[in-house]
Amino acid sequence: MTENPFIVSVSDDELNLLQQKLAIANLPDELDDVNWAYGAPLTDIRRLVARWREGFDWRTQEARLNAEMPQFTRDLEVEGFGSLNVHYVHKKSDQEGAIPLLFVHGWPGSFIEARKILPMLTKPPLDQQSFHVVAVSLPGYGFSEAPKKKGFSISQFAEVCHKVMLALGYNEYVTQGGDWGGLITRKMAAMYGGKHIKAWHTNFPVVRPPEFSLNPITLFTSLSMLPALFYLFLFSPTERIALQRTLTVQRTGMAYFQIQATKPQTLGYALADSPVGLLAWIYEKLVAWSDGYKWEDDEVLTWISIYIFSRAGPAASLRIYYEASASGRLLPAIWEWDQLPRIPMGVSYFPGEMLLLPRSWIRRTGNVVFERVHDAGGHFAAHEVPELLVGDVRKMFRAVWGVQY
Amino acid sequence: MARDVIKSEICPKLLTGSFGNPSAGALLTSPSSSAYLSSPLEMDPETPFTLNISATQIADLKHRLELTRFPDELDEAEWAYGAPLADIQRLVSYWQTDFDWNKQQAVLNEELPQFTRNIDVDDVGTLEVHYVHKKSELEEAIPMLFVHGWPGSFIEARKILPLLTATHPDVPSFHVVAPSLPGYGSSEAPTKKGFSLDQFAETCHKLMLSLGYSEYVTQGGDWGGLITRRIAIKYGGKHSKAWHTNFPVCNAPQFTLNPFHLITSFSMILDLLWLSDFEKQALQRALETERIGTGYLRLQSTKPQTIGYALADSPVGLLAWIYEKLVGWTDGYKWTDDEILTWISIYWFSRAGPAASLRIYYEVNAQNELVPSVHDVRPTIPMGLSYFPKEVASLPRSWLRRTGNVVFDSQHDKGGHFAAYEVPESLVGDLRKMFGKGGPAYGVVAGSTGFKLS
């Protein structure tokens, strides 16, 4: 299985079709004074569409991506699914003692989320830890092939990512991930931790909330989680605000999850056919989940273009929600001891993250050796506040790499 | 349970153009906007309306269909992940080529006499409402308001219309009014936030008054069920005299601190011990629907604008979105491609565009009223309830009895969510039993019993 260098090179036909569709884009109206309450605002979408038609230059963006991020593709065997052609970014560091690091994106992200941290990780100041970086496009995203069969779930994503690292000669490595990347690297830590993965870091600290089931272990563990909530309400105003935010997101911002987890094909027709539809769908989250990040129109359009021009099309990227939800509970539960990874775990807390849960709970979801709380940054930390994320990653992995646990 | 859910700049006229032109004559004599104030025995002349989608709009649709970019599909997915690719591709191909909207439109215009009228809604302003109105030949027919839901429209009245308005000595006859809800079909949509159940109820009620029907009965499923319930509460007794629904939904037992609610909730749980097989299956179906079939509901209740962009821009997106429900919520109904595409074209060509039709979910959810509650005010007027086996939100009879004065209930072995369209004879049969001679709601509208005064 050989590695093939890859450059993003979208065909003129695809670019023309996009422009044809944008030219006839039919925008809905909007109620008066709704701002963001009903979804992505019309003024924003209208402006973005206008820019997309005139001014936004995909070829320039494409060239920049290719210049900044050395990309490759490679065939990998996935148990039960045959061969998949996987696209990834791979950049080695020149420095001594660089640690191999796998970066895994989520939805609505892509390999583009590695663009800012790539130079920082591979070419740090001399006294800082350096890394060889691999940023995979998950199957169904970016320029990776998508699986054709049902059932491609977290374990399979984990397997693919791991096999990329092994194929590149990185028998031992560390991982960094948020969103699906966080859940996938958690699974990898459990599956390949110790022997291959030495430590893992996430900026997506999630945990299943207490459950009052009849199972005594679950029940007692859940009861033991309650004091953290009392602490929050009595003593910690910032965490209280964070919890409020989490509840608001749960109440008004999770429908995308439910539809993607139950009817991804139905939604897929709209997202595959309508660039405006896809733009609004993703843009709403780019803004809602980031921490006041000043998205530039071209940034947003590049981000969404990757979905439009993706090898498998935008509908394929939704299926992870269905498969992962169908194969069981998504969030790690503190009472499921045997499933918690044992290797050193690092957590970075960013205030704009969509789910903010008590840190004492998170500490019990793995072997947390590193923890840092920031006062800026959101869900897309690597893109919004790359220096903060990289700072954490350098510190944590320098400390644990090479140490026997 | 279907529990309380977690809840243009104008485009060129050709793209969101109105559904047609009122006839020229009517424009000159068009009624004032205070038509609804007319006394019960008079009404302002009606403004006839015919669907008349322009050739430009049709050409635009076909052009978009031609540019359709399809997703792929997983092997052997069938319906598990959503509407199947083979179905959608077939429908798109037909829609783009041989589907004849003009022919379907002509048939609709022939079957459904349509009109428009300005209705003044409190704190909102005037909305032009599109509606079907067919009078029985019998003067003493019962005035009936039929209210559709989502993803339905006035088209849902097409099969029951001839049955309801028929005259026969053995069955009651009805005058039927079937509006397009604001934001649907050819009705204008509100432009401000907050247009919720009260406003939809008010619009429908005022329409009836404006047509000279001071007293009337109602039939509705889906949103039509919730809106006619609100009509029964606000205008029941004086104006709405009885109501019938084929949407037997209410809240699940809730464990709150309110002792009265707790008592009710406990007794609702006890009711579960006495469910019939039909009710058990129905409950299971409702649970399953909530588990895998309410993503659209949550989305439309929280981010209708976000999904609205896709549905307004992509005919295939709109097609799949609605088609999935047309099949998923019916009882093996053999939809023809013409039927499907006519239904969806009504949304595509609607006056306000497909995005507007979603907002009712947001507004009602914002007021926490998506699901009628057993703890709410109960309408006192006689209520009829029809259970169809493939309804998606079908809760136990004993629970529904807590939400109204049920004088009639029935159970069928065929039919689903779109009862008026799938099994019109069953639904009309129930209405005839409820309102017919000897029926529990016979004679509720004085002087309009549905039978000749002998």
Side-chain angles (χ1 to χ4, degrees):
Chain A
M1 301 185 210
T2 53
E3 175 170 273
N4 296 309
F6 178 88
I7 52 165
V8 180
S9 182
V10 173
S11 73
D12 286 336
D13 281 347
E14 284 195 79
L15 286 175
N16 290 335
L17 179 60
L18 171 60
Q19 284 304 323
Q20 278 183 285
K21 284 178 174 286
L22 291 172
I24 59 170
N26 194 17
L27 295 177
D29 68 348
E30 189 183 62
L31 294 178
D32 297 341
D33 301 318
V34 290
N35 206 18
W36 280 87
Y38 290 60
L42 184 57
T43 27
D44 289 30
I45 299 299
R46 187 181 295 121
R47 186 192 71 242
L48 284 159
V49 169
R51 175 70 185 172
W52 212 349
R53 294 190 63 196
E54 187 88 40
F56 175 74
D57 180 15
W58 169 255
R59 292 288 180 221
T60 304
Q61 299 301 332
E62 190 178 68
R64 281 199 199 129
L65 280 173
N66 290 330
E68 287 171 35
M69 297 198 283
Q71 301 156 64
F72 306 86
T73 58
R74 153 186 307 267
D75 289 330
L76 291 170
E77 276 293 314
V78 182
E79 260 186 74
F81 289 85
S83 172
L84 280 181
N85 190 256
V86 178
H87 163 252
Y88 56 94
V89 175
H90 180 204
K91 187 156 182 162
K92 288 181 93 83
S93 171
D94 289 332
Q95 289 181 18
E96 272 293 324
I99 301 172
L101 180 140
L102 168 72
F103 172 83
V104 186
H105 70 83
W107 185 95
S110 67
F111 69 98
I112 202 182
E113 288 183 86
R115 98 188 286 178
K116 298 185 188 183
I117 60 174
L118 198 63
M120 295 176 182
L121 290 169
T122 54
K123 267 186 153 54
L126 285 172
D127 62 326
Q128 298 288 334
Q129 180 62 49
S130 65
F131 299 86
H132 303 308
V133 178
V134 179
V136 178
S137 282
L138 294 171
Y141 289 76
F143 301 98
S144 286
E145 206 182 337
K148 301 265 180 296
K149 297 218 272 276
K150 300 184 277 193
F152 196 98
S153 189
I154 303 292
S155 303
Q156 284 69 40
F157 285 104
E159 185 185 334
V160 166
C161 291
H162 177 60
K163 284 181 170 170
V164 171
M165 295 305 275
L166 292 185
L168 292 174
Y170 299 127
N171 196 48
E172 294 182 350
Y173 58 95
V174 299
T175 67
Q176 204 292 320
D179 196 82
W180 286 113
L183 295 176
I184 291 165
T185 53
R186 168 178 285 277
K187 186 73 177 170
M188 291 175 77
M191 285 165 76
Y192 313 112
K195 182 165 183 213
H196 296 288
I197 303 178
K198 296 305 188 186
W200 69 295
H201 176 279
T202 183
N203 53 299
F204 192 52
V206 290
V207 60
R208 209 179 304 170
E211 259 169 41
F212 299 97
S213 89
L214 296 172
N215 177 314
I217 294 174
T218 308
L219 185 59
F220 286 123
T221 309
S222 296
L223 289 172
S224 75
M225 291 164 82
L226 291 182
L229 288 175
F230 295 132
Y231 168 81
L232 274 184
F233 281 106
L234 291 176
F235 299 116
S236 176
T238 45
E239 284 199 80
R240 207 181 309 142
I241 293 171
L243 195 59
Q244 266 306 101
R245 189 200 159 93
T246 298
L247 290 173
T248 302
V249 168
Q250 287 298 303
R251 204 171 42 84
T252 66
M254 292 301 284
Y256 83 98
F257 190 103
Q258 191 171 340
I259 191 94
Q260 291 177 187
T262 53
K263 307 285 182 206
Q265 189 69 14
T266 295
L267 176 64
Y269 294 100
L271 300 185
D273 185 53
S274 170
V276 176
L278 182 66
L279 167 63
W281 193 251
I282 293 180
Y283 176 69
E284 190 218 284
K285 299 311 184 198
L286 294 186
V287 174
W289 296 351
S290 56
D291 185 28
Y293 179 72
K294 301 260 179 289
W295 290 97
E296 288 183 9
D297 288 354
D298 283 1
E299 263 184 302
V300 173
L301 295 173
T302 303
W303 203 283
I304 277 112
S305 294
I306 288 176
Y307 274 84
I308 300 222
F309 300 133
S310 61
R311 179 168 176 173
S317 69
L318 311 178
R319 290 170 193 148
I320 186 174
Y321 286 82
Y322 183 102
E323 304 295 1
S325 305
S327 60
R329 307 290 296 279
L330 268 179
L331 299 181
I334 295 175
W335 52 87
E336 287 170 359
W337 300 318
D338 52 326
Q339 302 198 20
L340 303 178
R342 297 198 195 349
I343 56 170
M345 173 183 176
V347 191
S348 296
Y349 292 89
F350 291 98
E353 184 54 82
M354 50 186 291
L355 290 182
L356 283 163
L357 298 164
R359 293 200 281 278
S360 61
W361 294 0
I362 303 297
R363 279 183 212 120
R364 296 165 68 181
T365 65
N367 175 16
V368 177
V369 304
F370 176 94
E371 197 180 286
R372 188 174 267 171
V373 179
H374 294 278
D375 51 27
H379 186 74
F380 306 102
H383 192 78
E384 297 177 57
V385 287
E387 44 335 301
L388 296 181
L389 184 70
V390 166
D392 289 357
V393 163
R394 286 173 179 162
K395 186 146 186 268
M396 178 195 165
F397 289 131
R398 164 158 281 174
V400 305
W401 185 254
V403 177
Q404 284 298 102
Y405 273 87
Chain B
M1 219 72 21
R3 59 196 276 258
D4 306 312
V5 171
I6 337 64
K7 345 170 189 192
S8 128
E9 186 137 293
I10 322 292
C11 289
K13 206 72 171 128
L14 84 88
L15 294 172
T16 56
S18 55
F19 227 147
N21 317 301
S23 66
L27 270 175
L28 299 171
T29 59
S30 107
S32 72
S33 63
S34 55
Y36 73 94
L37 288 174
S38 37
S39 75
L41 295 176
E42 293 166 26
M43 66 166 205
D44 287 321
E46 293 194 87
T47 310
F49 177 90
T50 49
L51 300 178
N52 188 17
I53 301 304
S54 71
T56 325
Q57 282 173 280
I58 296 171
D60 173 79
L61 169 62
K62 291 193 188 232
H63 180 46
R64 279 168 203 279
L65 290 168
E66 207 179 349
L67 295 180
T68 296
R69 197 173 170 233
F70 288 102
D72 68 346
E73 189 182 58
L74 293 178
D75 296 341
E76 290 160 28
E78 289 185 26
W79 281 89
Y81 293 66
L85 184 59
D87 289 28
I88 299 299
Q89 284 179 323
R90 186 191 76 243
L91 285 161
V92 166
S93 173
Y94 182 57
W95 206 2
Q96 189 198 331
T97 55
D98 297 328
F99 172 72
D100 187 352
W101 167 258
N102 285 322
K103 175 169 147 214
Q104 298 301 329
Q105 177 176 260
V107 177
L108 277 173
N109 285 333
E110 205 183 296
E111 287 179 12
L112 301 169
Q114 299 154 65
F115 308 85
T116 56
R117 179 170 287 254
N118 285 334
I119 301 290
D120 201 52
V121 182
D122 294 347
D123 300 325
V124 171
T126 303
L127 289 176
E128 191 178 66
V129 176
H130 161 248
Y131 61 98
V132 173
H133 184 200
K134 185 153 180 166
K135 286 182 93 83
S136 164
E137 277 170 16
L138 182 73
E139 206 186 305
E140 303 92 333
I142 310 169
M144 169 173 280
L145 166 70
F146 171 83
V147 185
H148 71 82
W150 186 93
S153 67
F154 68 97
I155 203 182
E156 289 183 82
R158 90 186 297 176
K159 299 185 190 184
I160 57 173
L161 201 63
L163 297 172
L164 288 170
T165 54
T167 53
H168 189 278
D170 295 341
V171 300
S173 189
F174 298 84
H175 302 309
V176 178
V177 178
S180 288
L181 292 171
Y184 290 74
S186 221
S187 287
E188 201 180 340
T191 55
K192 296 206 188 8
K193 301 183 277 197
F195 198 98
S196 192
L197 284 180
D198 277 346
Q199 287 69 36
F200 281 103
E202 184 187 333
T203 305
C204 293
H205 168 65
K206 284 180 170 171
L207 176 63
M208 292 305 274
L209 292 188
S210 76
L211 293 176
Y213 301 128
S214 177
E215 294 185 0
Y216 54 86
V217 301
T218 68
Q219 204 291 322
D222 196 84
W223 282 116
L226 269 64
I227 290 165
T228 52
R229 171 184 293 275
R230 184 54 55 95
I231 289 175
I233 291 169
K234 282 171 69 110
Y235 313 110
K238 182 161 182 218
H239 296 290
S240 176
K241 305 301 278 183
W243 68 298
H244 176 280
T245 182
N246 52 299
F247 193 48
V249 68
C250 67
N251 64 300
Q254 284 151 348
F255 296 94
T256 67
L257 296 172
N258 179 318
F260 299 110
H261 292 192
L262 266 182
I263 292 169
T264 307
S265 296
F266 276 123
S267 82
M268 285 167 79
I269 303 266
L270 279 177
D271 286 335
L272 291 175
L273 295 173
W274 286 280
L275 293 187
S276 65
D277 284 338
F278 180 99
E279 287 175 305
K280 281 191 196 129
Q281 278 171 28
L283 195 51
Q284 238 159 313
R285 191 181 165 78
L287 287 171
E288 187 64 1
T289 300
E290 210 216 3
R291 195 176 70 84
I292 59 163
T294 52
Y296 84 95
L297 177 68
R298 191 171 187 172
L299 182 62
Q300 294 174 190
S301 302
T302 52
K303 307 286 181 210
Q305 189 70 13
T306 296
I307 186 65
Y309 293 100
L311 300 184
D313 187 50
S314 169
V316 67
L318 181 66
L319 167 63
W321 197 252
I322 292 179
Y323 175 68
E324 190 218 281
K325 303 310 184 203
L326 295 185
V327 175
W329 293 355
T330 50
D331 188 7
Y333 181 75
K334 301 256 179 294
W335 293 97
T336 63
D337 288 357
D338 277 336
E339 278 180 299
I340 304 269
L341 295 172
T342 303
W343 265 68
I344 280 125
S345 294
I346 288 175
Y347 274 85
W348 182 258
F349 293 132
S350 62
R351 176 175 177 161
S357 70
L358 311 180
R359 290 169 193 151
I360 185 173
Y361 287 85
Y362 183 100
E363 303 299 353
V364 178
N365 182 50
Q367 300 191 344
N368 244 324
E369 294 184 320
L370 266 181
V371 180
S373 172
V374 301
H375 311 297
D376 271 348
V377 171
R378 275 170 45 134
T380 53
I381 57 172
M383 172 182 178
L385 199 48
S386 293
Y387 279 84
F388 291 94
K390 291 292 190 276
E391 175 55 77
V392 287
S394 187
L395 298 183
R397 208 172 265 111
S398 51
W399 293 6
L400 266 300
R401 282 177 182 279
R402 297 167 188 278
T403 68
N405 173 19
V406 178
V407 304
F408 172 90
D409 80 69
S410 72
Q411 181 175 299
H412 297 274
D413 51 26
K414 190 110 188 87
H417 186 74
F418 303 103
Y421 197 84
E422 297 177 63
V423 286
E425 337 66 38
S426 297
L427 185 68
V428 171
D430 283 355
L431 293 169
R432 287 170 173 173
K433 286 197 196 99
M434 180 173 167
F435 292 102
K437 285 189 171 143
Y442 172 67
V444 284
V445 176
S448 301
T449 62
F451 298 92
K452 202 143 189 54
L453 283 176
S454 47

